[in-house]
Amino acid sequence: MHDPIPGRGAALGEGLTRADRARRVAQVLRGQVLHGAFPGGVLPDERALIAEFGTTRNTVREALGLLRDEGLVERRRGVGTVVVGRTYRHPLGELSGLAEVLQRHGTVVNEVREAGTVRPPGAVARRLGLADGEPAVYLERLRRVDGTPLSLDCTYLIPEVGEPLLAQGRGALEGQDVFDLIERGVGLTLGRAEVSVQAVVADPATCAVLAMPEGGAVLAVERLTRLADGRPADLEFIQLRGDRLTLHATLDRARGTGTGPARPA
């Protein structure tokens, strides 16, 4: 027989500090804000939130303060608490360029900060399968959506892929995704990619470029994309504003021929 759950029948969160209760409220509200759950962008008033979460006015105010500190909401006299920080959803289950995904949300502009041939660092050359001393093409672009800086993309490409991209000119690099340029402009077919994501505190220079508060968090994405024949073609280091992008995936629990959780042995 299992032991009873401590506190069963008591109010959820009883015994926690107010800071912990505020964190729980903020977690739920943050998800609602990020998914556009509030019509007109206005959150329910304090009395409604107190009733919804079964908590105190001070806890609700502290939770809203956490969201204000993140730049997601602000208090407006005569209106209430309104959503000000828009976020964009990027699916993890498909190999897409950022602009391909974001163009449905607004106008995407790529500012080309650097484009040319370089001698890549040894670690980059090895990932791309380049011989010692072989050059690579380097692209650095700042992405904006409706004028708001969203990501800083630093891309190394093998010469076979990168040099034809450079030949298409700065206008093409400003107006299209690299993936689109590779497939439509160069005529090569992309295959699969290996992606890793880590949340890190951005350095001051990156914060300045992305118009973020100093000490803000970014999603540091490293993506190695291969051609259809398996050759590595494109190694990207992307820094995405953590307060403006949500990574999304739908995952299947199926294992082998069965579905659902694995049964204990």
Side-chain angles (χ1 to χ4, degrees):
M1 180 175 180
H2 296 293
D3 292 332
I5 298 172
R8 181 183 291 275
L12 183 64
E14 185 173 310
L16 296 177
T17 66
R18 189 172 75 199
D20 281 328
R21 292 196 299 270
R23 169 179 52 80
R24 289 187 174 186
V25 173
Q27 284 174 340
V28 176
L29 290 175
R30 183 185 299 108
Q32 291 178 292
V33 167
L34 297 181
H35 291 90
F38 301 113
V42 181
L43 274 66
D45 62 26
E46 287 183 356
R47 286 178 298 178
L49 292 175
I50 290 167
E52 171 72 18
F53 291 98
T55 190
T56 66
R57 183 181 300 274
N58 286 337
T59 296
V60 165
R61 288 181 174 178
E62 192 166 328
L64 294 175
L66 294 174
L67 300 183
R68 283 196 299 272
D69 291 343
E70 295 174 21
L72 292 177
V73 302
E74 68 178 26
R75 183 75 178 175
R76 292 182 183 170
R77 185 181 298 276
V79 178
T81 301
V82 300
V83 177
V84 293
R86 185 180 181 187
T87 63
Y88 306 94
R89 177 180 288 194
H90 192 298
L92 289 176
E94 61 186 57
L95 182 54
S96 302
L98 196 60
E100 289 180 89
V101 173
L102 295 176
Q103 64 186 356
R104 70 193 70 162
H105 299 296
T107 302
V108 180
V109 174
N110 302 310
E111 176 190 327
V112 179
R113 293 168 55 86
E114 191 172 346
T117 301
V118 299
R119 180 174 181 176
V124 170
R126 288 190 290 274
R127 295 289 302 280
L128 289 175
L130 298 175
D132 186 34
E134 190 175 358
V137 168
Y138 178 75
L139 303 177
E140 183 172 305
R141 302 194 297 175
L142 173 63
R143 308 269 193 137
R144 291 188 175 90
V145 180
D146 288 340
T148 299
L150 184 68
S151 73
L152 181 62
D153 302 4
C154 303
T155 305
Y156 293 89
L157 302 123
I158 62 173
E160 177 187 343
V161 173
E163 289 175 359
L165 260 63
L166 293 180
Q168 294 182 53
R170 183 172 290 262
L173 297 174
E174 290 175 346
Q176 294 177 260
D177 263 330
V178 167
F179 285 175
D180 194 45
L181 291 171
I182 291 173
E183 294 195 315
R184 295 176 183 269
V186 183
L188 296 171
T189 303
L190 296 173
R192 59 185 175 86
E194 301 143 28
V195 183
S196 62
V197 183
Q198 183 179 11
V200 301
V201 175
D203 60 85
T206 299
C207 286
V209 171
L210 292 176
M212 295 171 54
E214 194 162 325
V218 294
L219 297 174
V221 178
E222 182 177 317
R223 179 168 64 187
L224 177 65
T225 303
R226 299 177 182 273
L227 298 173
D229 62 11
R231 287 180 297 152
D234 173 340
L235 178 60
E236 296 171 278
F237 299 94
I238 307 171
Q239 292 185 302
L240 298 152
R241 286 185 57 164
D243 61 344
R244 291 292 180 266
L245 196 86
T246 300
L247 301 178
H248 175 77
T250 300
L251 305 178
D252 193 338
R253 180 64 168 162
R255 295 177 178 174
T257 58
T259 60
R263 296 178 181 174

